[in-house]
Amino acid sequence: MSAPSSARPTARRHPRVAVVGGGLAGITAALRLADAGCRVTLHEAKPKLGGLTHSFPRDLGDERLWVDNGQHVFLRCCTSYRALLDRLGVTGQVTIQDRLDVTVLSGAYVGTGRLRRSGLPAPLHLGAALATYRWLSPLDRLKVVPAALALGRVDRKAPVTDDQSFGDWLARHGQSDRAVEAVWDLIGVATLNAPAARSSLALAATVFQLGLLDEPGAADIGWSDVPLQQLHGDAAAKALADAGVDVRLGAKVVSLDDLDAEAVVVATTAPEAARLAGDVIPDAHPADWADELGSAPIINLHLVYDRTVLDEPFVAAVDSPLQWVFDRTAHAGLRQGQYVAVSISAADQLVDLPVATLRERFVPHVEAVLPRARDAELRDFFVTRERHATFRPAPGSGRLRPATRTTSARVYLAGAWTATGWPATMEGAVRSGEAAADALLETRSPLEVGA
Ligand SMILES: Cc1cc2nc3c(=O)[nH]c(=O)nc-3n(C[C@H](O)[C@H](O)[C@H](O)COP(=O)(O)OP(=O)(O)OC[C@H]3O[C@@H](n4cnc5c(N)ncnc54)[C@H](O)[C@@H]3O)c2cc1C
């Protein structure tokens, strides 16, 4: 005979959570928390979701282009970002190369270089491409392989690694200025947003180990086939609504005390997080950590031609300030001619130049890399500038990046600038959102009430 129970049944109540910031980090955290049963409100200061990945319309004659604030690419190894795309139901709106394949053109010489992986296991998969890479001398080709293997062995998690400059490390490993330009910076500047000389060895090792040295398919490049706003912000608005998240747009949070929530994920920019949550970020960080971490700009030059000037989805450039050039025609909805975007990272010297100066300076470089542009009519030229595109990935930046957990069990941090180990990327942002949600759930969910 069982004893009569006098206890009331236990109810499990999930906490009310506020997520501040509707970039990829905030979107990820909000979805993960809602999926775990939390009652989530997401506050975004701007009128749309997506943060640093967004798009805007631009009229050109009787056509309307959808322009991204900056070209974004990802790699096959960006597993968390790709899981977010799946969760948003937009995986069908991106393309990933079957096999890493980058055409590299020169602004000074005729010919085509190619960085293409073979079917061999990593790191041999790039051996053939490097052995025949047109833009390196035979001696540099010989020296680049042992340097790549040595980079694969660097302990990227050791603090001493983060204090070193990638440029110094490359010089110590026999890399000439040409090898730095035509191989290491070709990839590194676009992924780190700084040249090797100004990058942390730990962040560079992360990019090259995870992308190029560990798994053969890891560096296959992916990109969106639709405007970023559609891929991220609009898809997220629907997914969040379906998950029961209360999304408030145009809702800048001024103080965390104003939020009616038991727990908060601060997924803003770093300076804003320092302002909102500075008092609960552990002392190990200097008080001015966000200023010290700083930010680095990216600009995109947008050129619309009356005809096709580029046959490939994208090319990279050496002997040229262009870095990477993307065909945006179909994504943007252009019906006549071709729209190309030139993505220039680490654009400190360019970000404040007037459009006319950039046009005068860069159109000849586009014509040098894409000779068919010389005969084409340039129908439109405009510039997008993101002054605070990423944090500065300088040596020593690792110790300035705060962890997800703060000294308050109520407050968690997310954002590409938190201590993810990744440079400021979409993958880093999504990982930070996952980490914040997981830490919050581990600490606070579900609350037992009514027992
Ligand atoms: C031009 C450009 C090109 C890039 N290229 C690539 C690329 O090719 N590949 C790649 O992986 N990454 C790239 N990145 C980096 C990537 O976009 C970012 O790392 C990522 O989007 C950051 O997401 P986040 O959520 O951490 O931050 P954010 O996108 O900055 O989101 C923070 C959000 O918080 C909101 N907010 C701030 N303060 C408040 C407040 N007080 N109350 C409410 N809301 C607030 C902001 O409005 C913003 O929406 C690029 C970035 C730029 C700008």
Side-chain angles (χ1 to χ4, degrees):
M1 202 170 93
S2 59
S5 168
S6 57
R8 284 184 291 136
T10 302
R12 290 163 78 81
R13 187 175 67 75
H14 288 84
R16 281 190 321 281
V17 180
V19 174
V20 185
L24 293 175
I27 290 167
T28 304
L31 281 172
R32 204 165 174 103
L33 290 163
D35 289 347
C38 298
R39 292 167 295 156
V40 182
T41 305
L42 188 155
H43 306 258
E44 166 54 51
K46 295 201 184 118
K48 53 191 180 182
L49 296 174
L52 284 169
T53 66
H54 61 91
S55 318
F56 58 90
R58 180 175 176 97
D59 290 332
L60 177 64
D62 60 354
E63 297 199 67
R64 167 159 286 194
L65 300 187
W66 277 95
V67 177
D68 289 344
N69 66 315
Q71 175 68 42
H72 279 64
V73 301
F74 60 95
L75 303 180
R76 195 184 289 283
C77 65
C78 296
T79 48
S80 291
Y81 172 68
R82 289 172 54 216
L84 176 67
L85 295 181
D86 267 347
R87 177 67 183 79
L88 299 181
V90 295
T91 294
Q93 297 176 30
V94 300
T95 297
I96 306 186
Q97 295 179 318
D98 294 337
R99 200 173 265 200
L100 171 72
D101 192 357
V102 181
T103 295
V104 187
L105 301 176
S106 165
Y109 304 100
V110 177
T112 301
R114 210 159 167 206
L115 291 171
R116 182 170 196 272
R117 79 168 164 96
S118 69
L120 292 173
L124 302 175
H125 62 316
L126 290 172
L130 288 171
T132 55
Y133 184 46
R134 185 183 191 101
W135 306 124
L136 284 188
S137 68
L139 182 62
D140 279 339
R141 287 180 205 161
L142 274 182
K143 287 184 171 176
V144 86
V145 173
L149 294 174
L151 189 56
R153 294 190 297 271
V154 164
D155 179 359
R156 62 179 188 262
K157 296 194 175 147
V160 61
T161 309
D162 185 56
D163 286 336
Q164 293 178 53
S165 131
F166 183 38
D168 290 349
W169 186 94
L170 288 171
R172 283 202 306 279
H173 287 78
Q175 299 304 288
S176 66
D177 290 350
R178 179 60 177 177
V180 172
E181 188 208 343
V183 175
W184 302 106
D185 272 354
L186 189 81
I187 299 159
V189 172
T191 45
L192 296 163
N193 200 16
R198 299 205 302 268
S199 291
S200 133
L201 174 59
L203 287 171
T206 301
V207 165
F208 284 96
Q209 287 178 5
L210 297 180
L212 286 168
L213 299 166
D214 288 356
E215 286 282 327
D220 302 343
I221 297 178
W223 60 88
S224 177
D225 297 325
V226 297
L228 285 174
Q229 191 65 44
Q230 187 178 324
L231 189 75
H232 297 153
D234 295 355
K238 179 166 184 319
L240 289 163
D242 290 349
V245 176
D246 177 7
V247 176
R248 301 188 187 169
L249 299 175
K252 178 171 174 156
V253 171
V254 177
S255 162
L256 300 189
D257 297 338
D258 297 342
L259 299 171
D260 177 21
E262 286 140 299
V264 183
V265 175
V266 177
T268 61
T269 58
E272 192 63 0
R275 196 184 65 71
L276 288 170
D279 55 334
V280 292
I281 294 176
D283 298 338
H285 292 282
D288 59 351
W289 62 270
D291 291 339
E292 237 184 272
L293 193 57
S295 62
I298 298 177
I299 66 168
N300 274 223
L301 312 176
H302 305 261
L303 301 93
V304 182
Y305 287 101
D306 68 343
R307 69 197 72 174
T308 301
V309 299
L310 166 69
D311 289 324
E312 315 197 33
F314 61 87
V315 292
V318 292
D319 308 309
S320 165
L322 294 194
Q323 299 182 7
W324 292 71
V325 185
F326 295 85
D327 176 15
R328 301 293 309 159
T329 312
H331 326 57
L334 182 74
R335 293 190 304 276
Q336 304 156 33
Q338 190 174 40
Y339 162 22
V340 296
V342 178
S343 174
I344 305 180
S345 301
D348 303 69
Q349 309 303 320
L350 304 173
V351 68
D352 291 319
L353 294 181
V355 175
T357 308
L358 290 168
R359 179 176 178 143
E360 196 185 341
R361 192 183 290 183
F362 276 88
V363 168
H365 288 298
V366 174
E367 292 174 358
V369 171
L370 305 175
R372 276 184 289 166
R374 290 178 199 149
D375 301 323
E377 182 198 336
L378 185 56
R379 293 172 62 205
D380 199 5
F381 179 99
F382 56 99
V383 180
T384 47
R385 307 165 200 262
E386 291 287 357
R387 287 188 169 70
H388 310 289
T390 68
F391 67 83
R392 229 170 248 294
S397 53
R399 82 175 86 86
L400 300 168
R401 298 172 70 183
T404 293
R405 288 179 190 275
T406 66
T407 56
S408 161
R410 181 175 181 251
V411 181
Y412 301 81
L413 304 178
W417 44 271
T418 56
T420 63
W422 281 68
T425 51
M426 299 190 287
E427 175 73 4
V430 172
R431 282 176 180 242
S432 77
E434 291 174 345
D438 290 350
L440 189 158
L441 290 168
E442 203 179 288
T443 313
R444 304 197 61 108
S445 172
L447 302 178
E448 303 251 335
V449 293

